[in-house]
Amino acid sequence: MEHNSANTAAKAAALFLWVVVIIALGYGVSRTALQAAALFTG
Amino acid sequence: MLSFLDREKSVAPPGYSRWFIPPAALAVHLSIGQVYAFSVFKTPLVDRFDTTLTAIGVVFSISIVMLGLSAAFGGKWVERNGPRKAMFVSGVCWGTGFLVGALGVATGQLWLLYLGYGVIGGIGLGIGYISPVSTLIKWFPDRPGMATGMAIMGFGGGALIASPLSAAMLDNFAATPADAIVPAFLTLGAVYFVAMMLGSMTVKVPPPGWKPEGWEPKPTVTGGDLTTEGVTVERAFRTPQFWLLWIVLFCNVTAGIGILEQAAPMIQDFFANVGPAEAAGYVGVLSLCNMLGRFVWSSTSDALGRKRTYIGYLGIGCLLYLLIAVAGTGSIVLFVAVTGLILSFYGGGFATIPAYLKDLFGSFNVGAIHGRLLTAWSCAGIAGPLIVNVVADYQLSAGYSGADLYTLSLYLMVGVMAVGFIANMLVRPLSKGQIDQDEVAEPASSHQSA
């Protein structure tokens, strides 16, 4: 039972990390893309 | 006391999905990737310490040198102790680096910044860089290029996140950027520490004998299985294959730096109508190409094969450099597309090399061997800018201007790529005589002692 709850916690943490990572990457890529747009609109 | 960090405590239970592992690796690489956004702090640090760009530039150089040294010498420790302990140590070093660096800035002691961000942070960089690679390859032996591409894409992505974030902190945390450095460093250190601890706690190694359903490893020339065995670091270090790959990585990185080091001034010299804002936009395009290349080309190498992929990086890269040298001023669209492709190959070269090492030397010591190979990155980090800047100074003193300032360095990079191309063509699988069964390493789990 204890083993199962530890695994559940690990999976939940991993899923949380996926969300954080995707949001962080999305932030970085979108901010850089906005900066990159200056090359074509500037 | 810290036994929860031991490798044995991080073995995944049966049925654990391997797709829970990449975010742990990404959390670490996105954090340590901040190092390539260090330049955001350069001018505020110059103002804060009332010193020169060179004196502040040394901070970054120390961190990269320490990255190379700790990856090279810490690789075996990482393999023995497992990814959880390695990521933990990396997170502690990386976070502490910011803390000690902030103390140096607050007290006006530059040596503390060298020690903190440079030395301690640099150790965190090296250990963190290699810590998830071996584990990902073991979880994804059928797709090692995609797996390492995901992690190492994180290193490129880390700078894309840290750059605007750091700029925003410097603008908002205090009246002047120089006064905002300390709270910014403390914030970054805390955030990265938490992210890397989360990564450390969630990473798991596959159970002994685990392999993806329906997948069978290819046997070695000795009939053995390099995915359950693995050539020792010492043995790999003595093979021509290791040194040929060292040359391959050195050349690919040097050539990429040939663009990176001078991207903003170069596009303004090639095209008179491009100003500083557009040049900054161009640097953004290159950053995106660098990051995407890490994942896309490395994943492609699973289908194409590693050697063919590097034929692309170095062979096509060589021709692309020639194209810029000969016709770079003809069209800005062509210039951006060609240099963007070169930078994607630069990123792809970093991300694909662990899978190449795994193909040649097996999975179980790939992290340690990768760590040794990263000395090529350290050397390229010195050679690349040196070539570019020395040539630029020489061309300036010779009276060249505009696009002509870069012609010689572009042709030099064609040569560098050609050398790397030849080295790659000479790579062969290990022969029976090179895989001495006495020196074939046992799986790392059998190295654990009480």
Side-chain angles (χ1 to χ4, degrees):
Chain A
M1 187 74 83
E2 200 178 291
H3 193 63
N4 280 340
S5 62
N7 286 334
T8 305
K11 288 177 183 176
L15 280 170
F16 172 72
L17 261 184
W18 261 127
V19 171
V20 168
V21 155
I22 288 168
I23 290 173
L25 267 172
Y27 167 79
V29 167
S30 58
R31 289 297 301 266
T32 307
L34 275 170
Q35 181 193 30
L39 176 62
F40 306 105
T41 60
Chain B
M1 193 175 74
L2 296 174
S3 62
F4 64 94
L5 297 175
D6 292 342
R7 172 185 274 273
E8 302 87 72
K9 298 278 171 62
S10 67
V11 178
Y16 197 82
S17 170
R18 58 183 178 167
W19 288 101
F20 287 123
I21 310 304
L26 278 163
V28 170
H29 271 249
L30 284 172
S31 299
I32 61 176
Q34 182 278 341
V35 70
Y36 276 114
F38 178 76
S39 60
V40 175
F41 288 97
K42 268 176 99 171
T43 303
L45 282 166
V46 165
D47 294 339
R48 179 75 186 202
F49 283 99
D50 191 22
T51 183
T52 63
L53 276 169
T54 303
I56 297 302
V58 167
V59 177
F60 176 78
S61 300
I62 293 173
S63 69
I64 296 301
V65 166
M66 291 309 299
L67 183 160
L69 290 174
S70 55
F73 291 107
K76 285 176 79 171
W77 177 87
V78 169
E79 288 288 13
R80 262 199 319 274
N81 288 276
R84 180 165 291 176
K85 193 172 278 185
M87 289 177 177
F88 179 85
V89 167
S90 169
V92 167
C93 288
W94 190 231
T96 303
F98 278 100
L99 207 66
V100 174
L103 183 64
V105 175
T107 57
Q109 299 181 83
L110 189 55
W111 71 271
L112 268 179
L113 186 57
Y114 290 160
L115 174 68
Y117 192 93
V119 177
I120 301 171
I123 293 170
L125 283 175
I127 300 296
Y129 193 91
I130 60 175
S131 61
V133 168
S134 174
T135 300
L136 281 170
I137 286 177
K138 291 178 179 92
W139 276 110
F140 293 88
D142 52 336
R143 288 185 274 185
M146 181 212 71
T148 55
M150 253 193 295
I152 292 172
M153 174 184 73
F155 195 81
L160 300 193
I161 295 164
S163 191
L165 202 62
S166 303
M169 283 191 273
L170 289 173
D171 283 341
N172 293 292
F173 276 9
T176 66
D179 291 330
I181 298 169
V182 171
F185 265 30
L186 291 174
T187 305
L188 287 173
V191 167
Y192 290 141
F193 177 78
V194 168
M196 292 168 85
M197 288 303 109
L198 272 173
S200 168
M201 293 307 120
T202 53
V203 78
K204 291 185 185 298
V205 295
W210 180 90
K211 57 188 174 193
E213 206 174 302
W215 178 82
E216 287 300 324
K218 281 189 286 199
T220 66
V221 290
T222 57
D225 174 7
L226 274 182
T227 60
T228 57
E229 298 162 353
V231 178
T232 62
V233 177
E234 290 74 19
R235 167 59 75 180
F237 202 60
R238 293 199 298 266
T239 62
Q241 285 89 343
F242 176 88
W243 293 104
L244 286 170
L245 286 191
W246 195 100
I247 293 169
V248 162
L249 186 64
F250 174 82
C251 291
N252 199 48
V253 174
T254 299
I257 287 174
I259 298 284
L260 269 176
E261 179 72 8
Q262 52 187 356
M266 185 162 76
I267 194 171
Q268 292 175 88
D269 283 326
F270 267 66
F271 303 98
N273 58 334
V274 171
E278 293 86 14
Y282 171 61
V283 172
V285 169
L286 294 183
S287 302
L288 284 170
C289 291
N290 180 7
M291 194 194 81
L292 288 170
R294 288 162 189 252
F295 181 68
V296 170
W297 296 132
S298 190
S299 300
T300 305
S301 76
D302 287 333
L304 215 56
R306 273 19 111 175
K307 191 168 180 176
R308 274 192 215 104
T309 304
Y310 277 91
I311 286 173
Y313 294 156
L314 297 156
I316 298 174
C318 189
L319 294 173
L320 293 176
Y321 256 110
L322 195 59
L323 186 60
I324 302 171
V326 165
T329 55
S331 154
I332 191 168
V333 171
L334 182 72
F335 180 88
V336 172
V338 166
T339 53
L341 199 50
I342 291 174
L343 259 293
S344 77
F345 291 164
Y346 167 81
F350 275 117
T352 313
I353 206 80
Y356 209 162
L357 290 171
K358 179 250 178 191
D359 289 350
L360 287 172
F361 301 112
S363 303
F364 269 86
N365 289 290
V366 68
I369 299 169
H370 183 220
R372 295 275 177 104
L373 198 79
L374 289 179
T375 49
W377 177 10
S378 303
C379 292
I382 297 168
L386 202 62
I387 292 172
V388 163
N389 293 320
V390 163
V391 167
D393 284 345
Y394 169 76
Q395 298 285 74
L396 260 172
S397 62
Y400 289 98
S401 63
D404 292 336
L405 274 174
Y406 305 91
T407 312
L408 182 55
S409 63
L410 289 170
Y411 279 118
L412 277 170
M413 293 307 168
V414 171
V416 167
M417 285 286 211
V419 168
F421 180 85
I422 293 166
N424 181 54
M425 294 308 290
L426 293 173
V427 173
R428 296 281 182 274
L430 295 187
S431 64
K432 203 167 169 178
Q434 287 179 300
I435 306 175
D436 182 334
Q437 287 300 326
D438 290 340
E439 290 192 35
V440 170
E442 295 167 16
S445 56
S446 69
H447 288 163
Q448 300 308 301
S449 52

